[in-house]
Amino acid sequence: MQHPYAWWPTLAVLIVATVTDIRSRRIPNWLVFPFLLAGLVVSTWVAGWHGLWESLGGMLLGGLIYGLMAMMGGMGMGDVKLCAAIGAWIWWQQLVFALVFIAVAGGVMALVWAVIGGFLGEMFTGAGDLLFGWKQRGMHAPADLQLSNPKARKMPYAPAIAIGTLISFFSR
């Protein structure tokens, strides 16, 4: 369970991250790094060494899970850093719940985005290749699915991270 001060700063950062990600498809370091550091400091202040270890566990879990997805081409590094910073605030146990809700929110958003954009079939083909084609290509996504490709469709994922994280606060 996260410390009692976690949800207000997390909400504020999620709002800013969502707005900037929707506008520019970027989550700024000036937002994420101080938030991450503050999560470590406040967790230590509130719960001592236990809080520091819980905070570090959340940071590492968020960074690892989203870091693997970024390596596969499905996430940007801003999403990785945001999830690691959220983990520092809400600790690893809460982050496990949040990651499930984030995945569901992201999946629903991607489906709606693909239906509205008229590329639902293309989305399923790309997702299938990303999930099942890794034996042939390794852990790296094909060039047409990588975020660095200017022709790739880029959905802002901070809204899904925000929705999933907030649902995890209110579901416990």
Side-chain angles (χ1 to χ4, degrees):
M1 184 71 72
Q2 84 280 352
H3 57 78
Y5 304 109
W7 86 278
W8 284 104
T10 303
L11 176 63
V13 167
L14 287 171
I15 290 169
V16 175
T18 297
V19 169
T20 59
D21 198 20
I22 289 171
R23 286 185 177 170
S24 66
R25 301 297 190 268
R26 300 186 62 81
I27 300 171
N29 288 337
W30 60 259
L31 175 69
V32 177
F33 287 137
F35 179 59
L36 189 149
L37 182 61
L40 294 171
V41 170
V42 170
S43 294
T44 305
W45 174 61
V46 169
W49 288 108
H50 173 75
L52 176 62
W53 291 117
E54 296 289 340
S55 185
L56 286 170
M59 180 188 76
L60 292 173
L61 178 64
L64 178 66
I65 299 280
Y66 276 76
L68 289 172
M69 291 197 300
M71 282 176 42
M72 293 174 55
M75 290 282 146
M77 287 307 294
D79 301 318
V80 174
K81 292 178 275 190
L82 179 62
C83 231
I86 289 169
W89 275 93
I90 69 173
W91 301 355
W92 73 270
Q93 300 94 332
Q94 180 78 21
L95 186 62
V96 169
F97 287 98
L99 290 172
V100 171
F101 293 122
I102 290 167
V104 171
V108 170
M109 284 175 49
L111 283 172
V112 169
W113 187 55
V115 167
I116 290 171
F119 53 89
L120 186 63
E122 184 183 330
M123 183 193 81
F124 281 121
T125 301
D129 183 46
L130 196 62
L131 291 173
F132 304 114
W134 63 272
K135 285 186 181 180
Q136 290 83 18
R137 64 171 156 52
M139 287 294 289
H140 299 288
D144 59 330
L145 293 180
Q146 292 185 5
L147 292 175
S148 58
N149 180 352
K151 293 182 180 180
R153 291 186 174 95
K154 299 170 182 85
M155 182 183 87
Y157 206 69
I161 294 171
I163 291 166
T165 301
L166 294 176
I167 290 172
S168 81
F169 278 129
F170 298 113
S171 69
R172 292 189 48 126

